[in-house]
């Protein structure tokens, strides 16, 4: 149980285009989903927290107009990188939590984004 | 402020020898604590978690960790390393209010023959 999937697992795009990454909880309903970014050989950096049906809460320094997050249902959250540039190339990981009383997060396998 | 400190950025062991990955936390309250493992280009997999039920926690793949409040530590151990244990390991604690996770910087474990 508690499986989280991400799609795509990797994507290559041209500079200036937008890329959408999906995060799904496969066998549970996730009231909260989280999006992280990970640079090579570094720890995870929380980008934003999204609750189903409400606006995402972005961490300081993360551009909300650049990284659009939608959490339309209890099993799906999407991250759209708008007008991507090479500096947006990174490993993006999502996680999901059942509810606030459970502090464990279940992580997706990650999406490798490369912007040319 | 709450924090998680992993004392070693790299650990290298021989196959079959014990593994020790060190983690210290600072918190004004009794925390939950987790150890996650990340293989290259993969997501994070939960190894084990401490939730105050027992101070010695057994996880998957032969790993265990002991919560020591007096030392504010939660070190990860394994009696005998396998080549497949080579990965990045993260010690993690929930922030107060449980809305975020606080990650350690990670420890890269190398296992050589």
């Amino acid at each position: 149980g508690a499986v989280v999937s991400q799609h795509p697992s990797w994507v290559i795009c041209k500079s200036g285009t937008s890329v959408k990454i999906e995060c799904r909880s496969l066998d549970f309903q996730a009231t909260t989903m989280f999006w992280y970014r990970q640079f090579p050989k570094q720890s995870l950096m929380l980008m934003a927290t999204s609750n189903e049906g409400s606006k995402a809460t972005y961490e300081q320094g993360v551009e909300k107009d650049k990284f659009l997050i939608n959490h339309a249902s209890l099993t799906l959250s999407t991250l759209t990188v708008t007008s991507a540039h090479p500096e947006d190339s990174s490993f993006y990981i999502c996680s999901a939590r059942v509810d606030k009383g459970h502090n464990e997060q279940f992580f997706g396998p990650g999406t490798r984004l490369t912007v040319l | 402020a709450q924090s998680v400190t992993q004392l070693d950025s790299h650990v290298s062991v021989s196959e079959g020898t014990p593994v020790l990955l060190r983690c210290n936390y600072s918190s004004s309250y009794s925390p939950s604590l987790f150890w996650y493992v990340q293989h290259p280009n993969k997501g994070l997999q939960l190894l084990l978690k401490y939730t105050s039920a027992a101070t010695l926690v057994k996880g998957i793949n032969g790993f265990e960790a002991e919560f020591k409040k007096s030392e504010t530590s939660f070190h990860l151990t394994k009696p005998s390393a396998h080549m497949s244990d080579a990965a990045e390991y993260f010690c993690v604690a929930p922030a107060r209010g449980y809305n975020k996770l606080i990650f350690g910087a990670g420890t890269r474990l190398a296992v050589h023959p």
Side-chain angles (χ1 to χ4, degrees):
Chain A
V3 178
V4 175
S5 70
Q6 278 183 245
H7 179 80
S9 55
W10 59 270
V11 56
I12 301 173
C13 69
K14 292 182 178 180
S15 186
T17 61
S18 295
V19 175
K20 180 185 285 187
I21 302 170
E22 293 185 349
C23 177
R24 294 181 185 273
S25 57
L26 298 185
D27 50 3
F28 67 101
Q29 292 186 325
T31 57
T32 307
M33 288 185 169
F34 304 84
W35 287 96
Y36 296 87
R37 184 172 180 175
Q38 186 179 32
F39 291 103
K41 302 186 187 303
Q42 294 189 23
S43 190
L44 278 68
M45 181 190 76
L46 179 64
M47 298 174 67
T49 302
S50 73
N51 292 294
E52 185 264 339
S54 62
K55 288 185 178 180
T57 302
Y58 289 82
E59 295 299 298
Q60 192 172 8
V62 178
E63 299 175 60
K64 62 180 181 181
D65 295 329
K66 173 76 169 175
F67 299 100
L68 300 179
I69 292 172
N70 183 277
H71 193 161
S73 77
L74 286 171
T75 59
L76 173 64
S77 176
T78 59
L79 167 68
T80 301
V81 184
T82 62
S83 186
H85 287 94
E87 57 266 29
D88 299 324
S89 299
S90 192
F91 195 54
Y92 293 87
I93 302 175
C94 73
S95 70
R97 186 179 68 196
V98 174
D99 60 47
K100 200 166 185 179
H102 294 78
N103 53 32
E104 182 179 348
Q105 294 180 18
F106 302 96
F107 288 83
T111 297
R112 171 75 57 193
L113 170 64
T114 302
V115 185
L116 301 176
Chain B
Q2 194 174 2
S3 66
V4 175
T5 303
Q6 291 183 243
L7 299 167
D8 308 291
S9 58
H10 291 83
V11 170
S12 181
V13 301
S14 298
E15 191 176 19
T17 64
V19 175
L20 170 64
L21 305 183
R22 298 182 293 166
C23 173
N24 284 97
Y25 70 92
S26 67
S27 174
S28 59
Y29 62 100
S30 294
S32 298
L33 289 163
F34 306 95
W35 275 100
Y36 285 90
V37 61
Q38 183 182 32
H39 289 91
N41 295 308
K42 301 290 185 183
L44 274 66
Q45 180 185 19
L46 180 68
L47 280 178
L48 50 80
K49 60 181 176 182
Y50 166 74
T51 57
S52 77
T55 56
L56 182 61
V57 182
K58 294 187 183 298
I60 62 171
N61 300 336
F63 284 95
E64 63 181 38
E66 185 172 8
F67 176 75
K68 293 187 177 181
K69 187 174 182 178
S70 60
E71 299 175 10
T72 61
S73 69
F74 189 56
H75 300 335
L76 181 71
T77 60
K78 182 173 181 177
S80 175
H82 293 169
M83 297 296 291
S84 60
D85 294 327
E88 188 84 20
Y89 291 80
F90 294 99
C91 182
V92 182
R96 194 172 192 121
Y98 290 173
N99 202 37
K100 300 179 185 180
L101 293 179
I102 299 171
F103 284 81
T107 298
R108 182 166 298 274
L109 175 65
V111 182
H112 48 84

